[in-house]
Amino acid sequence: MSTASPPPQDGVLKGYAWGFFAISIWVSWMVATRAGAKSSLDALDLTALRFASAGLILLPVALKHGLDPRRLGWGVWTALICGAGVVYSIVSAAGFAFAPISHGSVMLPGTMPMFVAILSVLILGERIVGPRRFGFVLIPTGVIVLVFAGAHHGTGGEWRGQLIFVAAALLWASYTIALRKSGLAPLAAAAIVCVWSAILFLPPYALYALATDGAGLAHASWGEIALQTLIQGVLSSVVALYAYNRAIAILGSSRGAAIGSLVPVLATLAAIPVLGEWPVGTDWLGLAAITVGVYLATGAPLPGRPSARA
């Protein structure tokens, strides 16, 4: 099997800069999505706001590059649209209706690198070597700890959100691999995902909204709608997706995906003052296990030894 060549040092720094920029936006997205799920807006409403705005902004880019799925192949096109588009948006938003930020922030970016690594080995021929192997053992260990915490200290429904988050992580991992295989430029990939998601989702959502007297949007304030549109559509679907695509293009699929190790800590800390969600002791243990696991899974440098390349 072949091994991916590491990018030059200056390229690595640029790749991590793009990745850190993306995760800072995703932290805001998680907090906003959890807040929306606790209000009158459900997963369908948030998805509509997300792709109505992002699809409109990126429509010129998508038209320039072409919208015909056959150019990418139906398999790659489906993985792109489902993995980072309408299916991922609905699934991930639904998870926050059942589980707190401390669980979603760990399970979404925490389990995703594990799935990316598995798919990278199976599809791209990458090898997992050195401390990275130990990292991929810690990730599911942390997930088990969180499931235990939710069962014994939560309100009783956290396991549903946890299961949904793992499914969402698998979707995003599929997108990551499909992006590498597609050869699309970062902005073009974001445009195709957002525009096709708008085309596929908004017409049935409009019928749903008519049948339910405007759905959750009819009961939300204009300020809430504007804030969710900005975070869900402009920042998360356009800016963050472009930044993430740039990171993947520079760092590679498994290494780029694993920079999400900072998301659990940042999102959990942000949820404390914004949403008043304090993790319990076992939550912190699971969070720590997955965060360390994801850091090792990146092949990040350890004291006294060079970083792993895979």
Side-chain angles (χ1 to χ4, degrees):
M1 290 184 290
S2 62
T3 345
S5 298
Q9 185 61 31
D10 58 342
V12 169
L13 294 178
K14 290 180 181 178
Y16 280 119
W18 281 112
F20 293 151
F21 181 47
I23 66 173
S24 68
I25 296 175
W26 285 334
V27 168
S28 301
W29 168 78
M30 287 185 179
V31 174
T33 301
R34 173 65 171 168
K38 295 172 70 175
S39 69
S40 60
L41 300 175
D42 61 16
L44 298 180
D45 301 320
L46 295 175
T47 300
L49 292 175
R50 179 172 187 160
F51 293 115
S53 54
L56 183 61
I57 292 171
L58 293 174
L59 180 59
V61 179
L63 292 176
K64 177 182 178 182
H65 288 273
L67 285 170
D68 189 349
R70 292 172 296 183
R71 295 179 59 228
L72 299 172
W74 285 105
V76 170
W77 178 86
T78 300
L80 290 174
I81 304 305
C82 292
V86 59
V87 178
Y88 172 81
S89 179
I90 294 173
V91 171
S92 58
F96 285 107
F98 301 104
I101 287 285
S102 60
H103 291 198
S105 67
V106 171
M107 287 191 162
L108 264 174
T111 59
M112 186 261 292
M114 180 177 63
F115 289 128
V116 170
I118 294 171
L119 294 176
S120 294
V121 169
L122 296 176
I123 299 174
L124 301 179
E126 291 189 5
R127 292 191 299 126
I128 308 300
V129 296
R132 297 188 67 203
R133 295 179 179 178
F134 182 62
F136 287 118
V137 172
L138 279 177
I139 291 173
T141 302
V143 171
I144 293 172
V145 170
L146 282 181
V147 171
F148 174 83
H152 291 269
H153 303 289
T155 58
E158 282 89 347
W159 66 269
R160 291 175 290 180
Q162 294 163 351
L163 186 62
I164 292 171
F165 290 140
V166 172
L170 178 57
L171 285 170
W172 191 272
S174 301
Y175 166 79
T176 301
I177 300 300
L179 177 64
R180 288 297 299 271
K181 290 182 69 69
S182 72
L184 288 170
L187 189 59
I192 290 173
V193 167
C194 292
V195 171
W196 264 113
S197 294
I199 292 172
L200 295 172
F201 179 74
L202 292 180
Y205 175 81
L207 296 176
Y208 162 76
L210 288 174
T212 55
D213 296 324
L217 293 176
H219 306 286
S221 67
W222 285 107
E224 184 179 7
I225 292 174
L227 178 62
Q228 291 289 355
T229 299
L230 174 65
I231 295 177
Q232 300 286 341
V234 179
L235 294 180
S236 296
S237 294
V238 179
V239 180
L241 190 56
Y242 173 79
Y244 178 77
N245 291 350
R246 289 280 293 173
I248 291 297
I250 295 171
L251 299 174
S253 55
S254 57
R255 192 183 309 277
I259 58 176
S261 57
L262 286 179
V263 173
V265 175
L266 297 178
T268 301
L269 293 177
I272 294 174
V274 177
L275 300 174
E277 294 184 353
W278 286 86
V280 298
T282 42
D283 285 342
W284 287 112
L285 182 61
L287 187 152
I290 293 180
T291 300
V292 173
V294 172
Y295 180 82
L296 294 176
T298 67
L302 297 174
R305 63 184 301 162
S307 60
R309 303 293 185 187

